[in-house]
Amino acid sequence: MVCALGAAVCFGTATVLQAVAARAASTGGGGGDAALLLRALRQWRYLAGLGLDGLGFVFQIVALRSLPIYAVGAALASSLAVTAVVAARLLGVRLSGVEWAAVGVVCAGLAMLGLASGAEGHRDGSMALKWAMLATAVAVLLLGLIGGRLPERGRALTLGLGAGFGFGVVEVAVRLIDSLEPATLLTNPATYALLVGGGAAFLLLTTALQRGSVTTATAGLVIGETLGPAAVGVVWLGDRTRDGLEWLAVLGFLVAVAGALALARFGEAPASGGEAVDGAGELG
């Protein structure tokens, strides 16, 4: 659980850096989503955020090799609580009493999960599941290519859910890669699912940083990256809880995710003056 929480700290801090950089990139000219991403990559804050994302991903991999997916997913969703605290301390963003309570709720949910979580499941993922993850990753990529052109009303939720599904594919794919031998890696569909799903998620994420209601997109992302992967882990990979503590794991998962959803506005980019910019950023 320590590694899962370390990943949440990295991702939550990266959110603030990437959101500010993406907002600045959106004022740098026209172009499509790829052009927006290239401009964002010229911002040092975005690069620093990517560095933290990389470190967080290493922590995430370690956590997924020893914890059930549902526990890691809930911990990653808690990165919004980290974002809220970082924004409050470093950028002067004001948290209301309700939002501080939501941070506490997230921590309580993670504590319950830590007490109830068993070891990761030991079922080998079937070849059909590996191909299903690759197909899902490709679908997310296609959604990323057209997502920015969707009608405004449903764009934010669609992009958020899509990004969440992409990150969820990464979570499951890590568990489906059982050997690091080059020959095995190159013939495992889960390897390509991880690469395509992660890249597609970042594409949708960057688009959501700049377009639409990002609070809605953040809520969609939290749902997409927690519920689906948790179900896959329990149903197909054998993730379980400690004996007799199934109820505590379910309660902890729901509490942690609910707390994260209550902090959805902290997917938005803090402005240089310390105020939150409406419709600016997203989860890192």
Side-chain angles (χ1 to χ4, degrees), residues 24-44:
S26 70
T27 64
D33 297 337
L36 172 62
L37 178 59
L38 289 175
R39 289 197 300 274
L41 287 170
R42 298 191 187 105
Q43 304 281 332
W44 72 265

Side-chain angles (χ1 to χ4, degrees), residues 77-184:
S78 75
S79 64
L80 280 173
V82 176
T83 298
V85 174
V86 170
R89 294 296 298 270
L90 299 184
L91 297 168
V93 175
R94 294 182 180 179
L95 273 67
S96 67
V98 173
E99 288 165 339
W100 278 116
V103 172
V105 165
V106 169
C107 294
L110 292 176
M112 286 186 276
L113 272 174
L115 290 172
S117 297
E120 65 167 337
H122 295 291
R123 290 185 199 164
D124 293 328
S126 66
M127 186 58 67
L129 180 59
K130 295 175 182 179
W131 281 109
M133 288 299 103
L134 180 55
T136 302
V138 172
V140 172
L141 178 60
L142 294 176
L143 180 60
L145 296 176
I146 65 174
R149 299 175 177 82
L150 292 175
E152 183 174 355
R153 185 166 187 171
R155 180 167 57 203
L157 183 59
T158 301
L159 290 173
L161 280 171
F165 290 146
F167 289 126
V169 166
V170 171
E171 293 175 28
V172 176
V174 167
R175 287 278 297 275
L176 296 177
I177 296 175
D178 48 15
S179 173
L180 297 180
E181 292 285 338
T184 304

Side-chain angles (χ1 to χ4, degrees), residues 101-279:
V103 172
V105 165
V106 169
C107 294
L110 292 176
M112 286 186 276
L113 272 174
L115 290 172
S117 297
E120 65 167 337
H122 295 291
R123 290 185 199 164
D124 293 328
S126 66
M127 186 58 67
L129 180 59
K130 295 175 182 179
W131 281 109
M133 288 299 103
L134 180 55
T136 302
V138 172
V140 172
L141 178 60
L142 294 176
L143 180 60
L145 296 176
I146 65 174
R149 299 175 177 82
L150 292 175
E152 183 174 355
R153 185 166 187 171
R155 180 167 57 203
L157 183 59
T158 301
L159 290 173
L161 280 171
F165 290 146
F167 289 126
V169 166
V170 171
E171 293 175 28
V172 176
V174 167
R175 287 278 297 275
L176 296 177
I177 296 175
D178 48 15
S179 173
L180 297 180
E181 292 285 338
T184 304
L185 277 176
L186 292 175
T187 57
N188 189 344
T191 302
Y192 303 99
L194 188 153
L195 296 174
V196 175
F202 271 111
L203 178 62
L204 270 69
L205 175 59
T206 303
T207 304
L209 282 169
Q210 189 261 337
R211 301 178 181 181
S213 170
V214 184
T215 298
T216 301
T218 303
L221 186 144
V222 169
I223 293 170
E225 74 174 345
T226 55
L227 299 185
V232 171
V234 171
V235 175
W236 284 287
L237 297 178
D239 287 347
R240 292 294 181 266
T241 66
R242 294 180 182 177
D243 291 341
L245 293 181
E246 293 87 353
W247 66 271
L248 186 61
V250 172
L251 180 60
F253 179 86
L254 294 176
V255 166
V257 173
L261 290 173
L263 292 167
R265 87 171 179 97
F266 287 96
E268 300 183 16
S272 58
E275 303 274 324
V277 175
D278 292 336

